[in-house]
Amino acid sequence: MSETPAVPDGKRPTLADVAARAGVSTALVSIVMREAKGASAATRERVLQAARDIGYRPDARARLLRSRRSRLLGVQFGLQQPFHADLVAGIYAAAEPAGYQIALSAVAAGRGEQRAAETLLADRCEALVLLGPQAPAARLAGLAGQLPVVSVARRLRSPIPGLEVVRTADDEGARQAVDHLVGLGHRDIAHVDGGRAPGAADRRRGYRTAMNRHGLGEHIRVLPGGLTEEEGASAARALLAARPRPTAVLAFNDRCATGVLDVFLRSGVTVPGDISVVGFDDSHLARLAHIDLTTVGQDSARLARLAVGRAVARLEGEEAAAGEDVVAPRLVVRGTTGAPR
């Protein structure tokens, strides 16, 4: 048998190419690739060796589409959210051993959540995993009425039939951040809010609760912010103009905190010398050496495992735990916090 591939350069090998290489029929190659009955052990090995020789790989998506099940989990994520990238990596790691593939659909400027979800439904996804969805509860209920849906990183005020929830205890994360800053000696601690973003209300409540518990209610200061660097930068400019200026800031997330850091750097304000800064998520952005951000870590790997587990349990007809999965956060101390001057 020749050592060189039997297909032209640049052409993707087909079943017919494998059949020609192995000297058998295309139908027999199909039987081998489907792991169906009807081929001897020797023939199977000859066909598989021929496939390896010419670089043939079965089209898993096409095979799934021909079956009654797609075994696809659809994942809706925010294109500009670093923490969502961490979650997606964890979802791949959890789904593949369970025998499921992942279809991704991004929410981006000009492409809203409804369009992202519709694309996944058109791909015949069997369940949806929505990362930080901001859609109204009624729309989530509509999706959950069609197929299993898991919402990640958003607490719902009221349960929705068919909708699973996996989230971090955001209020506890904010309390940990305030406790850390108070332990360093800070009293005037501001919070850059997340607006209506998922988790924002809980983080805001956790901040207020912790400040009051430490007897710092008079120092509570909540500034409008959001999910992005731009919103963090806007809040930072307001903080620099404030009198008295706070000695520490808890930002809604790591991206927002990065915007805060950028404005402080450009204004000659040292961190943590003049102002300490804490983010939220512990995304890969926070771990960059030149940012080195103290942040509240969400356990993305565990959140992903729980989300996939709930989706698969529903699809396989297994009993899933009632209610929601709430994962404890952890404070990750790096270089942006220190004692006040």
Side-chain angles (χ1 to χ4, degrees), residues 283-329:
S283 64
H284 62 270
L285 182 67
R287 300 190 288 270
L288 294 174
H290 68 285
I291 295 179
D292 196 31
L293 180 66
T294 293
T295 184
V296 177
Q298 300 197 66
D299 191 340
S300 59
R302 188 177 179 203
L303 289 168
R305 286 196 303 271
L306 290 169
V308 170
R310 280 188 172 267
V312 170
R314 289 278 305 280
L315 293 173
E316 303 295 337
E318 301 172 4
E319 287 291 331
E324 59 182 8
D325 287 314
V326 182
V327 178

Coordinates of all heavy atoms in Angstrom, one line a residue, residues 283-329:
S283 N -11.4 36.7 36.4 CA -11.2 36.3 35.0 C -9.7 36.4 34.7 O -8.9 36.8 35.5 CB -12.0 37.3 34.1 OG -11.4 38.6 34.2
H284 N -9.4 35.8 33.5 CA -8.0 35.8 33.1 C -7.4 37.2 33.0 O -6.2 37.4 33.1 CB -7.8 35.1 31.8 CG -8.5 35.7 30.6 ND1 -9.8 35.4 30.3 CD2 -8.2 36.6 29.7 CE1 -10.2 36.1 29.2 NE2 -9.2 36.8 28.9
L285 N -8.3 38.2 32.8 CA -7.9 39.6 32.7 C -7.2 40.0 34.0 O -6.2 40.7 34.1 CB -9.1 40.5 32.4 CG -8.9 42.0 32.3 CD1 -8.0 42.3 31.0 CD2 -10.2 42.7 32.2
A286 N -7.8 39.6 35.2 CA -7.3 40.0 36.5 C -6.0 39.4 36.8 O -5.2 39.9 37.5 CB -8.3 39.6 37.6
R287 N -5.7 38.3 36.1 CA -4.4 37.5 36.4 C -3.3 38.0 35.6 O -2.1 37.5 35.8 CB -4.7 36.0 36.2 CG -5.8 35.5 37.1 CD -5.8 34.0 37.1 NE -6.4 33.5 35.8 CZ -7.7 33.2 35.6 NH1 -8.6 33.5 36.6 NH2 -8.1 32.7 34.5
L288 N -3.5 38.9 34.6 CA -2.4 39.5 33.9 C -1.4 40.2 34.8 O -1.8 40.9 35.7 CB -2.9 40.4 32.8 CG -3.7 39.8 31.7 CD1 -4.3 40.9 30.8 CD2 -2.9 38.8 30.9
A289 N -0.1 40.0 34.5 CA 0.9 40.5 35.5 C 0.9 42.0 35.6 O 1.1 42.6 36.7 CB 2.3 40.1 35.0
H290 N 0.6 42.8 34.5 CA 0.6 44.2 34.6 C -0.7 44.8 35.2 O -0.8 46.0 35.5 CB 0.8 44.8 33.2 CG -0.3 44.6 32.2 ND1 -0.6 43.4 31.6 CD2 -1.3 45.5 31.8 CE1 -1.6 43.5 30.8 NE2 -2.1 44.8 30.9
I291 N -1.7 43.9 35.4 CA -2.9 44.3 36.1 C -2.9 43.9 37.5 O -3.2 44.6 38.5 CB -4.2 43.8 35.3 CG1 -4.3 44.5 34.0 CG2 -5.5 44.1 36.1 CD1 -5.4 44.0 33.1
D292 N -2.7 42.6 37.8 CA -2.5 42.0 39.1 C -3.6 42.5 40.1 O -3.3 43.0 41.1 CB -1.1 42.5 39.6 CG -0.6 41.7 40.8 OD1 -0.9 40.5 40.8 OD2 0.1 42.2 41.6
L293 N -4.8 42.2 39.7 CA -6.0 42.8 40.3 C -6.4 41.9 41.5 O -6.7 40.7 41.3 CB -7.1 42.9 39.3 CG -8.4 43.4 39.8 CD1 -8.3 44.9 40.2 CD2 -9.5 43.3 38.7
T294 N -6.6 42.5 42.7 CA -7.3 41.8 43.8 C -8.7 41.7 43.3 O -9.3 42.7 42.9 CB -7.2 42.6 45.1 OG1 -5.8 42.6 45.5 CG2 -8.0 42.0 46.1
T295 N -9.3 40.6 43.5 CA -10.7 40.4 43.0 C -11.4 39.3 43.7 O -10.8 38.5 44.5 CB -10.6 40.0 41.5 OG1 -11.9 39.9 40.9 CG2 -9.9 38.7 41.2
V296 N -12.7 39.2 43.6 CA -13.5 38.2 44.1 C -13.6 37.1 43.1 O -14.1 37.3 42.0 CB -14.9 38.7 44.5 CG1 -15.8 37.5 45.1 CG2 -14.8 39.8 45.6
G297 N -13.1 35.9 43.4 CA -13.1 34.8 42.4 C -14.4 34.0 42.4 O -14.9 33.6 43.4
Q298 N -14.9 33.9 41.1 CA -16.0 32.9 40.9 C -15.3 31.6 40.4 O -14.5 31.6 39.6 CB -17.0 33.4 39.9 CG -17.6 34.8 40.3 CD -18.9 35.0 39.4 OE1 -19.8 34.3 39.5 NE2 -18.8 36.1 38.6
D299 N -15.8 30.5 40.9 CA -15.3 29.2 40.5 C -15.9 28.8 39.2 O -16.9 28.1 39.1 CB -15.6 28.2 41.6 CG -14.8 26.9 41.4 OD1 -14.4 26.6 40.3 OD2 -14.7 26.1 42.4
S300 N -15.2 29.3 38.1 CA -15.8 29.0 36.8 C -15.9 27.6 36.4 O -16.8 27.1 35.8 CB -15.0 29.8 35.7 OG -13.6 29.4 35.7
A301 N -14.9 26.8 36.8 CA -14.9 25.3 36.5 C -16.0 24.6 37.2 O -16.7 23.8 36.5 CB -13.6 24.7 36.9
R302 N -16.3 25.0 38.4 CA -17.4 24.3 39.1 C -18.8 24.8 38.6 O -19.7 24.0 38.4 CB -17.3 24.6 40.6 CG -18.4 23.8 41.4 CD -18.3 23.9 42.9 NE -19.3 23.1 43.5 CZ -19.8 23.4 44.7 NH1 -19.3 24.4 45.4 NH2 -20.7 22.6 45.3
L303 N -18.9 26.1 38.3 CA -20.1 26.6 37.7 C -20.4 25.9 36.4 O -21.6 25.5 36.1 CB -20.0 28.1 37.5 CG -20.0 29.0 38.7 CD1 -19.6 30.4 38.4 CD2 -21.4 29.0 39.4
A304 N -19.4 25.7 35.6 CA -19.6 25.0 34.3 C -20.0 23.6 34.5 O -20.9 23.1 33.8 CB -18.3 25.1 33.5
R305 N -19.3 22.9 35.4 CA -19.7 21.5 35.7 C -21.1 21.3 36.1 O -21.8 20.4 35.7 CB -18.7 20.9 36.7 CG -17.3 20.6 36.2 CD -16.6 19.6 37.2 NE -16.5 20.2 38.5 CZ -15.5 21.0 39.0 NH1 -14.6 21.3 38.2 NH2 -15.5 21.4 40.3
L306 N -21.5 22.2 37.0 CA -22.9 22.1 37.5 C -23.9 22.4 36.4 O -24.9 21.8 36.3 CB -23.1 23.1 38.7 CG -22.3 22.7 40.0 CD1 -22.4 23.9 41.0 CD2 -23.0 21.5 40.6
A307 N -23.6 23.4 35.6 CA -24.5 23.8 34.5 C -24.7 22.6 33.5 O -25.8 22.3 33.1 CB -24.0 25.0 33.8
V308 N -23.5 22.1 33.1 CA -23.6 20.9 32.2 C -24.3 19.7 32.9 O -25.1 19.1 32.2 CB -22.2 20.5 31.7 CG1 -22.2 19.2 31.0 CG2 -21.6 21.6 30.9
G309 N -24.0 19.5 34.1 CA -24.6 18.4 34.8 C -26.1 18.5 34.9 O -26.9 17.5 34.7
R310 N -26.6 19.7 35.1 CA -28.1 19.9 35.2 C -28.7 19.7 33.8 O -29.8 19.1 33.6 CB -28.4 21.3 35.7 CG -28.3 21.4 37.2 CD -28.8 22.7 37.8 NE -28.9 22.7 39.2 CZ -30.0 22.4 39.9 NH1 -31.1 22.0 39.2 NH2 -30.0 22.4 41.2
A311 N -28.0 20.3 32.7 CA -28.6 20.1 31.4 C -28.6 18.6 31.0 O -29.6 18.1 30.5 CB -27.7 20.9 30.4
V312 N -27.5 17.9 31.2 CA -27.4 16.5 30.8 C -28.4 15.7 31.6 O -29.1 14.8 31.1 CB -26.0 16.0 31.0 CG1 -25.9 14.5 30.9 CG2 -25.0 16.7 30.0
A313 N -28.6 16.0 32.9 CA -29.5 15.2 33.7 C -30.9 15.4 33.2 O -31.7 14.4 33.1 CB -29.5 15.7 35.2
R314 N -31.3 16.5 32.8 CA -32.6 16.7 32.2 C -32.8 15.9 30.9 O -33.8 15.3 30.6 CB -32.9 18.2 31.9 CG -33.1 19.1 33.1 CD -34.5 19.1 33.6 NE -35.4 19.4 32.6 CZ -35.7 20.7 32.2 NH1 -35.1 21.7 32.8 NH2 -36.6 20.9 31.3
L315 N -31.7 16.0 30.0 CA -31.8 15.3 28.7 C -31.8 13.8 28.9 O -32.4 13.1 28.1 CB -30.6 15.7 27.9 CG -30.6 17.2 27.4 CD1 -29.3 17.5 26.7 CD2 -31.8 17.5 26.5
E316 N -31.1 13.3 29.9 CA -31.0 11.8 30.1 C -32.2 11.3 31.0 O -32.2 10.1 31.3 CB -29.7 11.5 30.7 CG -28.5 11.9 29.8 CD -28.4 11.2 28.5 OE1 -29.0 10.2 28.4 OE2 -27.8 11.8 27.6
G317 N -33.1 12.2 31.4 CA -34.2 11.8 32.3 C -33.8 11.4 33.7 O -34.5 10.7 34.4
E318 N -32.7 12.0 34.2 CA -32.3 11.7 35.5 C -32.9 12.8 36.5 O -33.2 13.9 36.1 CB -30.7 11.8 35.6 CG -30.0 10.8 34.7 CD -28.5 11.0 34.7 OE1 -28.0 11.9 35.4 OE2 -27.8 10.3 33.9
E319 N -32.9 12.4 37.7 CA -33.4 13.3 38.7 C -32.3 14.4 39.1 O -31.2 14.0 39.4 CB -33.8 12.6 40.0 CG -35.1 11.8 39.9 CD -36.3 12.7 39.8 OE1 -36.3 13.8 40.3 OE2 -37.3 12.2 39.1
A320 N -32.7 15.6 38.9 CA -31.8 16.7 39.3 C -32.2 17.3 40.6 O -33.4 17.3 40.9 CB -31.7 17.8 38.2
A321 N -31.3 17.8 41.4 CA -31.6 18.5 42.6 C -32.5 19.7 42.4 O -32.3 20.4 41.4 CB -30.4 18.9 43.4
A322 N -33.6 19.8 43.2 CA -34.5 20.9 43.0 C -33.8 22.2 43.4 O -32.8 22.3 44.1 CB -35.7 20.7 43.9
G323 N -34.4 23.3 42.9 CA -33.9 24.6 43.2 C -32.7 25.0 42.4 O -32.7 24.8 41.2
E324 N -31.7 25.7 43.0 CA -30.6 26.2 42.3 C -29.3 25.8 43.0 O -29.3 25.5 44.1 CB -30.7 27.7 42.2 CG -30.7 28.4 43.5 CD -30.8 29.9 43.4 OE1 -31.0 30.5 42.3 OE2 -30.7 30.6 44.5
D325 N -28.2 25.8 42.2 CA -26.9 25.6 42.7 C -26.2 26.9 43.0 O -26.1 27.7 42.0 CB -26.1 24.8 41.8 CG -26.5 23.3 41.7 OD1 -26.7 22.7 42.8 OD2 -26.6 22.8 40.6
V326 N -25.8 27.2 44.2 CA -25.2 28.4 44.6 C -23.8 28.1 45.0 O -23.6 27.4 46.0 CB -25.9 29.2 45.7 CG1 -25.2 30.5 46.0 CG2 -27.4 29.4 45.3
V327 N -22.8 28.7 44.3 CA -21.4 28.4 44.6 C -20.7 29.5 45.4 O -20.9 30.7 45.1 CB -20.6 28.2 43.2 CG1 -19.2 27.9 43.5 CG2 -21.3 27.0 42.4
A328 N -20.0 29.1 46.4 CA -19.3 30.1 47.2 C -18.2 30.8 46.5 O -17.4 30.1 45.8 CB -18.8 29.5 48.5
P329 N -18.0 32.1 46.6 CA -16.9 32.8 46.0 C -15.7 32.8 46.9 O -15.8 32.3 48.1 CB -17.4 34.2 45.8 CG -18.3 34.4 47.0 CD -18.9 33.1 47.3

